[in-house]
Every structure is written in structure tokens, then in C-alpha cells.
């Protein structure tokens, strides 16, 4: 489209509003957050560019509706799905150009939806024989909306909806006609039946495809929300590997939310303490007479964190998520130093900083993971190498089940650590009922920690970090 | 509102193709998406938020729009601690002070014959807030952009570096093209400026801001677009070298590097090549000038291993394109 469209604005608006409204509904369903104001912007933008050029249409809606990299991806997918209507080749977007034949078709579909297939306009058999794909596509869409395809939510509903759509298109009557034809038995009729059978078969496939796409379109947002809720409260140790990708996204989202909430305040005014230098400077304009006073400010320090992660078999999964969470929070934390331990302990900050988080974690695991843990050894390693870096500003987070397989727990080291550090937080992925049973030393460590928490789900993790940041602010 | 100026802009930005051509004439080779964004932004009167990796031409876009439309470009560079006295306006304290000193006698004679304090005050009130009027206002970039009689291109660069408070402060400007100065009132733009905000995504911008803007993501260009961009910026370049060079850079972007070479680096590299009078991509030459493309030692090391391979492939690219 190059020049402003000659048609009157009203007619354009009328053509644009319905498909756009439905697309917005679909986009929201897919998880795009489209506000009402953005919907209006989209309509105004469409008035400008029209529907005629698909790439421009896509770019335009993308500018208005999708506002982050993730949303752009989602938008691209949704757009392709929604505007992909070429299953009947030759049907170039029937909705935007309702020509005269389309109106006939409306009449026709109204007839069949009232169960009068064949008596009014064309019957399904005639449609199939004429093989007019544009009209067929149109009929399918109308039948789909008559059967309420927007409400499809589950995979198992696929066949039911497909059948309903076909019935709305007049499948029953068609079957009766075909049965009648078969009874006549003439070679001509037999040929017609065969042709119809082939075409119905193809129609079935098309309708099934259509329903499948609709399922993707309408149900994705909701199923994803449901799954996210489930994943947040599921025990990390029980999660399947194929959820990993989704969990990563979730962790990033949660971390981002926390980061935004706590990155706001960097300074705090200390009321009552005059900042003489800045006050004088600000009031130069009045000859140094202090009309406006400036108070001293205190910079809010980012929390310094040292984190010790158990990467032995039993807890490795949770450690992975803890690290992921921690590194997604670099905006609000400073000086994160991370250590991994099982039988012994090593610093893994470098690995985590220089590689993408996924690769880094697999490297860490490969270097030290999946052995059996020896807390005494690991703590001794830490004291020897890094205790001197712990200051009164450091928060030490230890993640582990405190099961040292009967080895010396070296609680004395934790005691010394507690004296140096601001505080120690111990996160235990085990349920509380299992604490203290068997070789669990958690109750021997607990007295030295300022906080001991169960940490087995993503929600637990989020809560721990929210508390941590709250206290730092 | 100045209607003729508005019409003039309206005519210049008549269609997406015209935007394309106009930006092209200003030396900016825009993808279709970028032209569409400018076109829609102007007609919907919405700011554009441009995101993308460093060096793909986000800032350049605003400059080129200004050059094409012959509008003044007003630039506001954001940083942590930027506040409204640096972005919007400041009172000219010195002038205020000086004037009060000079006018002291005048004020004295004016209220000299007043019988009591009440009358004196009433007389003073009659002069209004002389010292807090527009002539004592030092306009900063945002206010200047609103005051341009012919409209302007306002570039708010690296908005993600500013504080959240400043972002909130921008909302009024971005949605209504007006600002409020407590002592004076609201000032509305004569001709709404074309506003371009850029961000490198060092932090997430607020939803409120995003809702008010169109969102344009500029990624790395494809081979053909990049070749056109470099050709327009480095006019003297040999056609064969250009294709090879672009093919090489594109391959480099496939590597896992700390900072991928951007369009601006590719242009610099092309300039280096032209300065050295090269016409064919040679392996040792590439190795020596890799530091123009890559800015981290570790990246250069990682890329150096693949130079031979990439150069060979880049040379073949010519054969394919011909």
C-alpha cells in the first residue's frame, strides 16, 4: 500500500474492526498483554495501513502490540497461526472482502444451521463437487464459529469440534444423499459417490487441521498459566526434564519481578542531618541564603552474597535453580560469589560468569557434581580458601540437605562463619518432617544460622530472595 | 497549533515508501519495518521506543529522520541521576538575583508611599510573579523540543540508563506532548515533536512507558541490507570486497561471543579496508584488523581460530551472489 486509501474511513473501519477484534482476543489468549489503549492504537494504525499488504500488517501490529523480545516472538507465532488461512488455496482472506457470493453463502449457512441444508442455496455436496475452495473455507469458518470454536480448551476436544463443524456444514444431509446415490446403483451415481467420498475425506483433514490450529490459538494462554501455577508449586526434585525450558523462563520472570521491585531505591534520605555542602550549592541563586535544605543521603548497599551449593546427587536439581535465580538477580545483588561442593568445595563464580547459565551449570555439575556429600570437608575447604573474604556485609546462603553420610559435620566452622558474616541462611530442600532423621545434621547447624528454611519449590525460592532483598533495602 | 507546518510534515510523510526514500536520501538505509514504524509513529502521534543491540543504528535513525525532514534534532542523553532540572527546565538563578538587585530601588519607589504593610503587599502582588516568568526560565532539551515552532525530532537516548522516577516523569510528555511547570502552568507543544527513545535493555522499562510507545526492535540486518548500508556509508568500497566483508561479518555473528560485531563496527572495518587499498578479503589482513570488529580479547581469540575457515567461505559468497 502506498497512497492513502481512497475508500471512506467508515468502510475501512467496518472491515478492520471484526478481524482485528478477534485477533486481539487470540493474542490475549496466547499470553500477550494487550491493554485497551493498545487495542485502540492497533485499530488506528490499521486504518492507516489497511489489510492489503501482509508484511506491513504484521509489522504494524507488531509495533503496537508486542513490546518485549519475548512478546515479539509470541506475537510472530500468533500472527502466523491466525492469518494462515490458505488451506484452501485461492481463498485470500475471505473475511476482509465479503463479496456478493459471500453473502449468498451467509444465507446458505444460515439455512443449514437451521437444518434446512439443500433446500436453500447450495448443499454441501454441490459445494464439494464445484470444489470452490474460497467458498468452502468460508463455510468452514462460519460453521466453526457456529459451533463455538473459541471455547476449545483441551486436546481431547479436537474430534468433537471437528465433527460439530462438519455437521454444521451439512454432513448429515450429505451422507443421506450419498446413501441415496448408492442405492440407485447406476455407474454415473457410483462415480459421483466416489468423487464425493474423496472430497469429504479431504475436508475432514482440513477441518481437523483447522481445529488443531484453533486449539493452539485459543487455549495456549490458559493452559500455560495453568501449567505455570503447577510448576511453581511443584517440588523441584520431582520435575521432569522436559519442563526445564519452561522453568528457566519462569525463574527469569520471577527474578525480573523481584529485581524491578527492589532496584528502585538506591538512596535514602536521612532526615535531620543537613548536607551543608549541597545545601550551599543549591542556594547559590539566593546569595547562599538556605531557602531549600538538602539532607544527607545514605546509599543503599546492594546485598553481598556468598552462596554454597550442594551439587551432590540428592540436591543437585535444587542447586541448579538456586544458581539460576541468583544470576538472574545480578541487577540487585553485587559481588555474588558462588561455590559448589559435594565431597569437596570449589569456587564456581568464574564458570558462571563466563558462560551462559545453562552451559555453566552443566560444567559445574561435570566438575564436581553428583558425588556423595561430605559437609565437614567442604566447610574446611571454604574456611581455608575463602573465609577471609567474608565480611560483616556478606550474606552466606548454604543450600543443602545437611546429610553428610555420617562424616564429621564440623559445626565449629559454621560457628566461626556466623561470627564473621552478616547472617547465614540455610536452605534445605528436604521436607521438614525428614529433618533430623538418619544422617541429617540440620539441627546441629541450625543454631548458627539466622534463618533455616525449607526450599523445595520455585515459590519457596522466590520468597527467600524477596526476604533477602527486603532486608537489604 | 501551526497548521501549515503540520501539513508540510503530513505531506512529507505521506506513505511508507516516501519514508523509505526520504531516509535513504539522508543516508540511512532502512528496513521496511523501520519505515513502517516512522510512518505510523508520525500519524498516530506516538513516540517510538527503539531497542536492539548496540551499534545497529538506533541513534542514527533519529538523526536521519531529523536530517530528512530538516527539523532540529534535540538530544537528551540519559544517565543515572538525571532529573527534571537538567532535562526540562531550570530557573536562571543568577539573572533572578541580578534583577532583584537592580530593581531594588524601583521596587522601593513603587511601594515607598504605601501607608502600611498591607497596601505595599497588594501593590507588589499586582506585578505578578515577574521573577518566575518565562524570561527567567532556562529551557533544557525537553522544553526546547516542545517550543520549536516547526516541530522537532526529540531523541531520548538510552532511557534504560535513567532512574525509574525519571521514566515516570516522562509519561506526561510522551502521552500529551505537554509538561507542567508549577510556577507557570502547562506548556503544550506547538507542533508535536517526533520522539525517539532508545534503549539497550540494561534494565526493564516500566509497562506504563511501553504502553505509550510504539515498540521497534532493530536487530542485525541481513546480508543484502547490510551490504547496502555499508555501501552508502563507505562510498569508495570495491563491490567484490563488500560482499566478502559482509559475508564474513555475518558468519562472525554466528559465533558465541561476548559482544557480537554490529553494523557500526562493520562500517569501521570497511573503512579500514578501503584505507589499506584492499580489494579482496585476505586471511592475514583479517587477522590483523580483527580488533576493529571485536572489542574483547577473549572474543578476538575465539574468532581468530575460525578466521581461515570464514575467509574461505566469504570468498565463495561472491561466486554465489554473482
Amino acid at each position: 500500500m502506498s497512497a492513502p486509501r481512497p475508500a471512506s474511513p467508515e468502510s475501512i473501519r467496518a472491515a478492520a474492526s471484526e478481524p482485528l477484534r478477534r485477533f486481539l482476543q487470540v493474542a490475549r489468549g496466547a499470553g500477550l498483554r494487550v491493554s485497551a489503549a493498545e487495542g485502540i492504537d492497533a485499530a488506528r494504525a490499521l486504518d492507516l495501513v489497511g489489510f492489503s499488504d501482509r508484511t506491513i500488517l504484521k509489522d504494524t501490529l507488531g509495533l503496537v502490540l508486542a513490546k518485549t523480545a519475548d512478546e515479539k516472538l509470541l506475537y510472530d507465532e500468533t500472527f502466523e497461526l491466525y492469518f494462515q488461512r490458505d488451506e484452501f488455496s485461492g481463498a485470500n482472506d475471505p473475511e476482509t472482502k465479503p463479496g456478493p457470493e459471500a453473502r449468498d453463502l451467509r444465507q446458505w449457512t444460515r439455512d443449514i444451521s437451521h437444518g434446512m441444508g439443500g433446500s436453500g442455496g447450495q448443499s454441501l455436496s454441490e459445494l464439494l463437487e464445484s470444489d470452490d475452495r474460497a467458498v468452502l473455507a468460508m463455510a468452514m469458518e462460519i460453521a466453526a464459529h457456529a459451533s463455538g470454536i473459541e471455547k476449545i480448551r483441551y486436546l481431547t476436544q479436537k474430534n468433537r469440534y471437528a465433527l460439530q463443524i462438519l455437521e454444521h456444514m451439512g454432513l448429515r444431509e450429505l451422507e443421506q444423499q450419498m446413501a441415496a446415490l448408492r442405492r440407485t446403483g447406476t455407474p454415473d451415481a457410483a462415480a459421483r459417490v466416489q468423487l464425493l467420498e474423496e472430497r469429504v475425506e479431504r475436508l475432514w483433514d482440513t477441518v481437523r487441521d483447522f481445529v488443531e490450529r484453533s486449539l493452539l490459538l485459543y487455549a495456549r494462554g490458559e493452559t500455560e498459566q495453568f501449567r505455570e501455577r503447577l510448576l511453581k508449586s511443584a517440588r523441584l526434585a520431582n520435575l521432569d526434564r522436559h519442563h526445564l525450558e519452561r522453568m528457566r523462563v519462569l525463574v527469569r520472570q520471577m527474578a525480573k519481578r523481584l529485581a524491578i521491585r527492589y532496584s528502585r531505591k538506591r538512596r535514602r534520605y536521612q532526615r535531620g542531618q543537613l548536607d551543608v555542602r549541597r545545601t550551599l550549592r543549591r542556594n547559590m541563586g539566593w546569595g547562599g541564603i538556605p531557602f531549600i535544605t538538602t539532607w544527607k543521603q545514605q546509599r543503599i548497599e546492594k546485598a553481598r552474597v556468598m552462596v554454597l551449593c550442594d551439587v551432590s546427587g540428592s540436591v543437585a536439581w535444587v542447586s541448579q535453580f538456586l544458581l539460576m535465580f541468583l544470576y538472574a538477580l545480578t541487577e540487585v545483588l553485587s559481588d555474588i560469589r558462588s561455590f559448589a561442593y559435594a565431597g569437596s568445595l570449589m569456587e564456581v563464580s568464574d564458570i558462571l560468569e563466563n558462560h551462559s547459565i545453562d552451559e555453566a551449570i552443566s560444567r559445574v555439575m561435570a566438575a564436581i557434581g553428583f558425588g556423595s556429600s561430605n559437609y565437614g570437608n567442604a566447610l574446611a575447604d571454604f574456611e581455608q580458601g575463602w573465609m577471609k573474604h567474608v565480611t560483616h556485609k556478606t550474606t552466606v546462603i548454604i543450600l543443602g540437605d545437611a546429610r553428610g553420610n555420617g562424616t564429621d559435620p564440623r559445626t565449629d566452622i559454621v560457628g566461626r562463619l556466623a561470627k564473621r558474616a552478616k547472617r547465614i541462611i540455610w536452605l534445605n530442600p528436604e521436607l521438614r518432617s525428614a529433618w533430623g532423621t538418619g544422617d541429617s545434621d540440620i539441627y546441629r547447624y541450625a543454631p548458627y544460622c539466622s534463618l533455616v528454611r525449607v526450599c523445595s519449590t520455585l515459590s519457596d525460592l522466590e520468597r527467600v530472595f524477596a526476604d533477602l532483598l527486603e532486608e537489604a533495602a | 497549533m501551526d497548521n501549515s507546518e503540520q501539513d508540510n510534515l503530513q505531506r512529507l510523510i505521506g506513505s511508507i515508501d516516501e519514508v523509505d526514500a526520504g531516509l535513504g536520501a539522508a543516508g540511512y538505509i532502512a528496513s521496511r519495518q523501520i519505515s513502517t514504524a516512522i510512518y505510523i509513529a508520525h500519524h498516530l502521534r506516538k513516540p517510538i521506543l527503539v531497542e536492539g543491540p548496540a551499534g545497529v543504528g538506533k541513534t542514527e535513525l533519529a538523526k536521519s529522520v531529523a536530517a530528512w525532514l530538516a527539523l532540529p534534532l534535540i538530544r537528551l542523553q540519559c544517565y543515572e541521576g538525571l532529573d527534571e532540572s537538567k532535562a526540562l527546565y531550570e530557573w536562571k538563578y543568577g539573572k533572578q538575583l541580578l534583577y532583584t538587585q537592580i530593581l531594588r530601588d524601583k521596587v522601593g519607589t513603587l511601594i515607598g508611599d504605601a501607608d502600611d504593610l498591607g497596601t505595599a503587599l497588594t501593590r507588589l502582588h499586582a506585578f505578578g510573579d515577574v521573577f518566575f516568568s518565562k524570561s527567567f526560565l532556562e529551557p533544557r532539551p525537553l522544553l526546547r523540543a516542545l517550543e520549536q515552532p516547526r516541530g522537532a525530532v526529540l531523541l531520548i537516548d538510552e532511557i534504560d540508563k535513567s532512574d525509574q522516577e525519571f521514566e515516570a516523569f516522562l509519561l506526561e510528555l510522551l502521552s500529551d506532548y505537554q509538561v507542567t511547570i508549577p510556577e507557570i502552568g502547562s506548556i503544550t507543544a506547538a507542533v508535536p515533536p517526533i520522539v525517539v527513545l532508545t534503549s539497550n535493555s540494561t534494565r526493564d522499562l516500566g509497562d506504563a512507558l511501553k504502553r505509550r510507545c510504539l515498540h521497534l526492535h532493530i536487530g542485525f540486518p541481513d546480508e543484502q541490507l547490510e551490504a547496502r548500508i555499508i555501501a552508502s556509508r563507505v562510498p569508495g568500497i570495491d563491490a567484490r570486497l563488500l560482499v566478502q566483508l559482509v559475508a564474513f561479518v555475518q558468519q562472525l555473528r554466528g559465533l558465541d561471543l561476548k559482544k557480537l560485531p554490529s553494523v557500526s563496527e562493520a562500517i569501521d572495518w570497511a573503512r579500514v579496508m578501503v584505507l589499506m587499498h584492499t580489494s579482496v578479503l585476505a586471511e592475514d589482513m583479517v587477522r590483523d584488523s580483527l580488533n576493529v570488529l571485536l572489542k574483547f580479547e577473549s572474543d578476538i581469540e575465539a574468532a581468530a581460530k575460525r578466521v581461515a575457515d570464514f575467509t574461505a567461505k566469504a570468498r565463495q559468497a561472491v561466486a554465489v551472489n554473482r
Side-chain angles (χ1 to χ4, degrees), chain B residues 171-200:
Chain B
L171 296 180
E172 185 191 7
L173 174 84
L174 294 181
S175 52
D176 302 328
Y177 296 108
Q178 71 166 38
V179 291
T180 306
I181 297 172
E183 294 87 347
I184 292 179
S186 293
I187 297 181
T188 312
V191 177
I194 297 174
V195 183
V196 178
L197 300 101
T198 73
S199 155
N200 289 326

Side-chain angles (χ1 to χ4, degrees), chain A residues 1 54 75 112 120 141 152 167 185 229 246 264 284 362 459 466-467:
Chain A
M1 120 110 212
R54 195 166 180 280
Y75 163 78
I112 51 167
E141 290 233 343
I152 188 166
E167 281 180 356
R229 261 207 314 278
R246 175 138 298 280
R264 287 194 60 162
M284 292 288 247
S362 63
S459 305
D467 288 353

Side-chain angles (χ1 to χ4, degrees), chain A residues 446-463:
Chain A
Y448 302 104
C449 305
S450 37
L451 190 68
V452 184
R453 272 270 180 92
V454 181
C455 175
S456 60
T457 70
L458 269 193
S459 305
D460 288 343
L461 267 179
E462 188 182 24
R463 216 168 303 141

Side-chain angles (χ1 to χ4, degrees), chain B residues 33 63 66 69 74 80 157 192 232 268 285 290 293 322:
Chain B
Q33 214 174 5
K63 287 187 191 165
L69 298 171
I74 294 170
E80 208 180 307
D157 218 1
S232 91
D268 289 345
M285 168 86 201
L290 217 48
L293 279 175
R322 274 183 184 170

